[in-house]
Amino acid sequence: MNDHIHTTRGTRNLDRLHLEKVKIPNNIIEFMEDGTWECLDHKPFVIHISSVIYKGNETLSYSLEFSLTGDFEKLNRKLEEMPYISDGYGWTNYILDKLKQEKVAFKEVIESDSESETCVLTAFNENDFRMLLQKVSLYVRELLLTKISDNSEENTKTMTISRFWSHEDEDDGICKPEIMFRRPRVDYRISEYIWFFLETNLLMQKRVLQKNSMAITLFMGPIYKRHKFFYDSAYNTETKKFHPAMRGSKLKDISISCSYNGFNEKMSPAEYANIVYDMYCSFLVDSFKKITKEECDELKGMLDFDVIHSFEFPATFDNQKYSADKGGYGGRTVNGIVDEKAVPYNYREAYINQFG
């Protein structure tokens, strides 16, 4: 193997992709052969660094190249539903459009030299290149979490995950915006990533929940004074109380509750991820004898917190997506009579006025 090629066994788990962690030698010129250094650590992604003439000056070009076969089959299907063509040009357009939407500021223009079977993106300084690698990694991970439709009429499987946070005051039963302000300000995609992690690393191997559609609702809130008796979950502690439930057959309607006073607006993504992981596992351990708490606890150590911390925190209102966020509160009615103490408010407007 040539000295200028750096290689390992490649990337198997695209959900943990972090291309920006590539190790580029400080004295890269000394490692080049025929003017090029190549890294295969993250196959199917290949990194090339070459000495070129750019804008009349000799400089280094930093290129990311990947072909669209193998691990990209599922990603290609998702890309086509965006909709983009699932070839090198389509992937180039998708990535450049995302960069433009996010208004990512590069020192130099990102250029492309893509073909039908490969996507090639090039930067002309290392800082720009690492930013490009970070964003491409994020876009791939995000795409893995997006839902795709299955056009086959038989055995069509869908998956939805919702989060519910009650705005109701325990003392008077009236919904108030200040209660909404206390909810965890974390991105909804963290919940999806954790289920995807369990799906990939546990459920597929156990052949559990692989056929039917599912709708999971995560109910989060503090331990109220009225809570005197709790469901006997293997995950219960003195401070955390779990209650999973499942109804239906073809469409599995799963609700998982967790009462915990640590649910608040300051809750970190890491703490949130740990709690949600236990919420899912409280349901799995309770529902399936072939899944044990011990193996769930051991698997938990494999969660990729780089992925969890890659989402913006605090998340914007639109990236929190609690179940009531698209609606508004118009007052409370008891036995057909409007409660005059209930002050109407719009969820989104009230939240943005509070946090910006």
Side-chain angles (χ1 to χ4, degrees), residues 209 212-217 219 243-257 283 287:
L209 299 175
N212 295 323
S213 297
M214 290 180 292
I216 299 178
T217 303
F219 291 85
H243 187 177
M246 180 172 67
R247 301 181 300 277
S249 55
K250 200 165 187 178
L251 172 65
K252 295 188 183 300
D253 184 6
I254 301 164
S255 64
I256 309 173
S257 300
F283 160 70
S287 303

Side-chain angles (χ1 to χ4, degrees), residues 9-42:
R9 60 186 175 85
T11 297
R12 293 182 180 177
N13 298 321
L14 291 176
D15 60 310
R16 298 186 178 191
L17 185 64
H18 284 281
L19 296 169
E20 69 275 12
K21 293 184 177 181
V22 61
K23 296 180 180 179
I24 300 175
N26 292 328
N27 51 343
I28 185 67
I29 300 293
E30 296 179 12
F31 288 83
M32 288 184 174
E33 184 173 307
D34 297 328
T36 299
W37 179 85
E38 187 174 68
C39 176
L40 307 179
D41 281 6
H42 303 277

Side-chain angles (χ1 to χ4, degrees), residues 182-200:
R182 302 173 196 162
R183 72 191 195 184
R185 302 179 68 193
V186 297
D187 196 296
Y188 75 97
R189 288 170 292 186
I190 294 176
S191 307
E192 294 185 346
Y193 160 70
I194 296 171
W195 182 263
F196 176 79
F197 172 86
L198 287 166
E199 172 83 20
T200 303

Side-chain angles (χ1 to χ4, degrees), residues 69-266:
T69 57
D71 293 339
F72 272 81
E73 181 179 351
K74 187 175 182 180
L75 284 168
N76 286 337
R77 289 176 59 200
K78 294 186 176 187
L79 191 73
E80 289 172 354
E81 293 197 354
M82 301 301 289
Y84 290 86
I85 299 173
S86 58
D87 62 7
Y89 303 110
W91 272 95
T92 298
N93 291 335
Y94 172 66
I95 292 169
L96 294 180
D97 285 349
K98 291 280 287 184
L99 292 170
K100 184 177 181 180
Q101 290 167 12
E102 292 188 16
K103 298 180 180 179
V104 180
F106 293 106
K107 184 177 180 180
E108 303 284 353
V109 174
I110 301 298
E111 296 189 356
S112 67
D113 189 23
S114 300
E115 299 177 352
S116 179
E117 296 182 357
T118 57
C119 175
V120 182
L121 297 168
T122 301
F124 292 94
N125 66 73
E126 186 172 340
N127 288 338
D128 281 358
F129 188 57
R130 288 197 181 275
M131 176 63 73
L132 175 65
L133 294 178
Q134 180 187 35
K135 291 299 182 180
V136 170
S137 301
L138 175 61
Y139 301 155
V140 169
R141 298 195 307 265
E142 286 181 344
L143 204 55
L144 282 170
L145 293 174
T146 60
K147 305 173 185 67
I148 60 174
S149 62
D150 186 348
N151 294 324
S152 61
E153 295 183 1
E154 298 181 0
N155 197 32
T156 300
K157 179 181 177 181
T158 60
M159 176 70 196
T160 60
I161 297 174
S162 306
R163 301 191 295 176
F164 180 82
W165 179 267
S166 175
H167 299 185
E168 188 174 291
D169 189 289
E170 183 184 14
D171 295 325
D172 58 21
I174 296 175
C175 290
K176 301 173 182 177
E178 55 263 33
I179 300 175
M180 173 178 61
F181 301 155
R182 302 173 196 162
R183 72 191 195 184
R185 302 179 68 193
V186 297
D187 196 296
Y188 75 97
R189 288 170 292 186
I190 294 176
S191 307
E192 294 185 346
Y193 160 70
I194 296 171
W195 182 263
F196 176 79
F197 172 86
L198 287 166
E199 172 83 20
T200 303
N201 295 283
L202 180 65
L203 303 185
M204 290 178 64
Q205 289 84 339
K206 299 281 186 176
R207 297 183 179 179
V208 169
L209 299 175
Q210 296 301 293
K211 293 183 179 181
N212 295 323
S213 297
M214 290 180 292
I216 299 178
T217 303
L218 302 175
F219 291 85
M220 305 170 183
I223 298 178
Y224 292 110
K225 291 180 290 186
R226 65 175 181 269
H227 291 159
K228 296 181 180 180
F229 303 98
F230 295 98
Y231 180 86
D232 187 19
S233 169
Y235 278 82
N236 280 357
T237 68
E238 288 296 320
T239 58
K240 304 181 187 74
K241 306 297 181 182
F242 299 84
H243 187 177
M246 180 172 67
R247 301 181 300 277
S249 55
K250 200 165 187 178
L251 172 65
K252 295 188 183 300
D253 184 6
I254 301 164
S255 64
I256 309 173
S257 300
C258 179
S259 299
Y260 171 52
N261 291 336
F263 284 123
N264 56 53
E265 72 280 8
K266 297 180 180 179

